[in-house]
Amino acid sequence: MNRNTIRLLVLLGTLSITGIIAVQAYWVKRAFDLKEQQFRQTVMISLRNVANRISTLYKLSKFDNPVTQLSSDYYVANLRVPLDADVLEHYLKEEFKKQNLNTPFEYGIYDCESEKIVYGSYIDSDFETSTVSTKPLPKTDKYLNYFGVRFPSKTSYLASRLDIWLISSLITLIVTVFFGYAMFVILRQKRLSEVQRDFVNNMTHEFQTPISTIRIATDVLSQPKIMEQPERLKKYVQIIRQENNRLKTQVETVLNTARLERGKMQLDIQLQELHSLINEVTEGVQAELEDCLKIELNATKSSIYADRTQLVSLIRNLLENAIKYSPKPPRITIRTENTDDSLMFSVIDNGIGIPKESLEKIFKKFYRVPTGNLHNVKGFGLGLSYVSEIIKAHKWQIKVESEVGQGSTFKVIMKQEN
C-alpha cells in the first residue's frame, strides 16, 4: 500500500467519521430540544392546574393562562390571594406526581408586605422535603400575588431521558476511537515497513562489501603463484581476517541490541580500566586517522565497574559514528575526565551535526537523521540505539550537544562507586 493510498484512506475515513459525529450531534440536539419542549409543556400544565385548584379553593374564577416562564428552569404562576406554603407544596407534589415529573424542584411565595419571595422548600426527586441551600428566587412585576418554582436539575433530568441517544452516542464514540486506533496502527505499520525496508537495504549493503572483499581475496589466494609471494599472501590473509571481524561485529551488534531490549543480555560486571579499553579500541584506527584523532585521557580515576564487551562496543560505536558523519579528514577528540563522583567519557567530532528536532530521536532503533536525498552514509541505524541500551543496562547517562555544521559531542557519564 503506497503513501498516497494511505493518505486517501485517512482523509476519507476522517471525513466519514466527522460526518457521522456531526449528524449524531445534530439529532441529539434535536432530541434534547424536543424533551425540553415536552418538559416545558408539562410544567406549564401542572402549574396551571395548581393555580386553578387554589382558585377553586378560594372560590375564584379559573385562569386560562396563569403561568409565565421567566427562564429555562424558572416559572411563576398567578395566585391573586395570599397562600400558605404547606398548601402550595401539597398541590405541587400531587400535580407533579400525576404528570410523572420526577425531578427536584424548589418553590417560593411572593409576600406583598415585604415585597420579597419567601422561600418555601427544596423537594427532591422522591417528593421528599429536604434542606438545601440555594440562591434566592427572582421576582417579577407581572403579578400582585404569585408563587415561583425552579427546577435546578432540569438539564440532567432531560439528559437522563435520552437513553437511546446516549447509547448511540457512546457507540459513535467507540467507533471513532476504533477508527483513530486503526489509523494509528496503519500509519505505524507503514512506518515500520519503511524502516524494515531501509534496514534490509542497509544491511545488504553492509554485508555485501565485506563478502565481496573476502571473495576477491579468496580468488587471489586460490591462484597457484600466490605461494611464491609471501608478502602478498600475508596481505590478503589479513584482509580476510579484517573483513571477517567486520562481519562478526555487525552481526553481534544486531543480536546484542535485540538481547538488550528483551532484557536477556547477561552483563558480566567487573572492574574495568577505561583508558586501557580506549587505547585498545583506537589502536586499530590510529594508523588510518593519523593525526586526525586526538586522545585526552585527563581522568585521574579511570576505573569503572562495567561489562567489558559492552563497554568496548560503546566506545567503538561512538567512535565509528563520529568518523562516519565527519568530513575527510575528520577531527575527532576522545576525552575522559572526573566530575564529582562520576567518570565522564566524551567523543567530540567536527561532523555535519544534528538538528535540534532530531536530538531526542537519534537513540531510537533504526532512526537516522534525515539528510535530504543524500545516502552516502551507510549503516543499520542501530549504533546509537545499541549505545542507549548499554547505558540503560549499566544505569549510566548520556548527553548530546550538537549544532548543524558545527559537529557533535557525546558525553557518557558513568557513576563510580566509592
Side-chain angles (χ1 to χ4, degrees):
M1 188 179 294
N2 59 42
R3 184 171 299 177
N4 291 334
T5 303
I6 292 178
R7 287 178 179 174
L8 181 61
L9 286 176
V10 172
L11 177 62
L12 293 178
T14 302
L15 291 176
S16 300
I17 291 295
T18 302
I20 292 173
I21 293 175
V23 171
Q24 181 70 19
Y26 170 78
W27 284 111
V28 169
K29 180 66 169 57
R30 284 289 302 272
F32 185 86
D33 291 343
L34 180 60
K35 290 293 182 183
E36 189 173 32
Q37 185 178 357
Q38 291 174 348
F39 177 83
R40 177 181 178 277
Q41 292 174 349
T42 303
V43 171
M44 297 285 282
I45 292 172
S46 300
L47 295 183
R48 184 186 65 189
N49 291 342
V50 170
N52 284 328
R53 289 180 68 179
I54 293 172
S55 297
T56 301
L57 179 66
Y58 286 93
K59 298 180 180 180
L60 300 173
S61 60
K62 292 186 176 182
F63 292 101
D64 289 332
N65 188 21
V67 184
T68 301
Q69 183 179 8
L70 297 185
S71 65
S72 62
D73 62 350
Y74 183 57
Y75 302 79
V76 294
N78 193 3
L79 277 178
R80 292 186 294 192
V81 293
L83 183 66
D84 184 70
D86 292 337
V87 176
L88 176 61
E89 182 175 321
H90 173 72
Y91 284 151
L92 287 173
K93 287 182 178 180
E94 278 194 351
E95 204 57 45
F96 287 165
K97 284 181 181 178
K98 187 186 300 182
Q99 298 294 337
N100 198 28
L101 199 61
N102 303 321
T103 182
F105 68 91
E106 50 191 358
Y107 69 92
I109 302 175
Y110 180 71
D111 184 359
C112 298
E113 294 182 2
S114 64
E115 296 184 351
K116 294 181 180 179
I117 292 184
V118 180
Y119 185 74
S121 298
Y122 179 90
I123 315 299
D124 61 24
S125 57
D126 296 324
F127 297 102
E128 298 292 334
T129 304
S130 61
T131 303
V132 176
S133 59
T134 182
K135 58 184 180 181
L137 298 176
K139 297 191 301 182
T140 180
D141 297 330
K142 189 169 184 177
Y143 305 119
L144 184 61
N145 292 288
Y146 62 90
F147 68 88
V149 179
R150 179 162 57 195
F151 301 89
S153 304
K154 186 200 81 169
T155 301
S156 59
Y157 171 75
L158 294 178
S160 66
R161 302 178 73 84
L162 297 174
D163 297 343
I164 186 66
W165 291 104
L166 292 177
I167 293 174
S168 64
S169 297
L170 179 61
I171 293 174
T172 302
L173 177 62
I174 293 173
V175 170
T176 303
V177 172
F178 176 77
F179 169 77
Y181 178 73
M183 290 298 102
F184 170 77
V185 171
I186 290 175
L187 294 176
R188 184 170 178 268
Q189 191 63 37
K190 174 65 175 175
R191 178 180 172 278
L192 290 176
S193 177
E194 292 176 349
V195 167
Q196 183 183 32
R197 185 189 63 226
D198 292 342
F199 172 71
V200 171
N201 290 339
N202 290 333
M203 184 175 65
T204 302
H205 178 273
E206 290 292 319
F207 284 170
Q208 277 183 343
T209 301
I211 290 172
S212 299
T213 304
I214 291 173
R215 186 181 66 247
I216 294 172
T218 53
D219 288 343
V220 173
L221 292 178
S222 64
Q223 297 175 2
K225 295 182 179 180
I226 194 67
M227 300 303 295
E228 300 173 3
Q229 303 172 334
E231 289 299 324
R232 190 181 179 198
L233 173 63
K234 182 179 179 181
K235 176 183 176 182
Y236 281 99
V237 169
Q238 183 64 25
I239 290 174
I240 293 176
R241 183 179 293 112
Q242 289 177 349
E243 295 302 320
N244 181 67
N245 289 335
R246 180 180 173 186
L247 277 173
K248 180 182 176 182
T249 301
Q250 290 169 341
V251 172
E252 285 180 348
T253 299
V254 176
L255 295 178
N256 289 337
T257 302
R259 290 195 192 103
L260 280 171
E261 286 191 334
R262 293 197 302 267
K264 294 184 178 181
M265 176 68 74
Q266 298 297 324
L267 298 179
D268 183 16
I269 303 295
Q270 294 184 18
L271 190 62
Q272 308 295 337
E273 169 50 47
L274 180 61
H275 290 174
S276 298
L277 296 181
I278 291 174
N279 290 327
E280 178 183 325
V281 172
T282 56
E283 184 179 0
V285 295
Q286 280 279 22
E288 179 183 347
L289 295 178
E290 296 179 352
D291 297 330
C292 300
L293 178 60
K294 187 178 181 181
I295 300 177
E296 300 176 356
L297 305 180
N298 301 324
T300 55
K301 297 179 181 179
S302 57
S303 296
I304 190 74
Y305 281 95
D307 183 296
R308 185 183 190 282
T309 302
Q310 302 305 328
L311 183 53
V312 168
S313 296
L314 183 150
I315 298 169
R316 181 180 290 115
N317 271 284
L318 290 179
L319 178 58
E320 289 180 352
N321 199 67
I323 295 171
K324 271 194 223 178
Y325 291 96
S326 295
K328 303 298 182 185
R331 293 196 309 273
I332 299 171
T333 301
I334 294 179
R335 180 182 299 152
T336 66
E337 55 189 304
N338 293 114
T339 57
D340 298 329
D341 58 347
S342 299
L343 173 60
M344 187 163 67
F345 164 69
S346 305
V347 178
I348 307 163
D349 66 61
N350 66 327
I352 60 176
I354 304 170
K356 290 183 178 180
E357 60 272 16
S358 296
L359 282 175
E360 295 181 359
K361 304 175 184 177
I362 57 175
F363 295 107
K364 293 182 179 179
K365 189 195 292 187
F366 304 124
Y367 183 81
R368 306 185 71 190
V369 177
T371 55
N373 294 323
L374 298 177
H375 302 282
N376 53 331
V377 179
K378 296 298 179 180
F380 297 157
L382 289 176
L384 291 181
S385 173
Y386 185 30
V387 166
S388 177
E389 294 298 333
I390 293 173
I391 289 172
K392 287 179 183 177
H394 286 83
K395 298 181 180 179
W396 296 337
Q397 288 181 300
I398 185 167
K399 295 182 180 180
V400 184
E401 299 172 0
S402 183
E403 289 186 19
V404 175
Q406 301 297 319
S408 304
T409 299
F410 287 80
K411 297 179 180 180
V412 180
I413 303 171
M414 312 171 187
K415 192 81 171 178
Q416 288 181 310
E417 298 183 9
N418 296 327

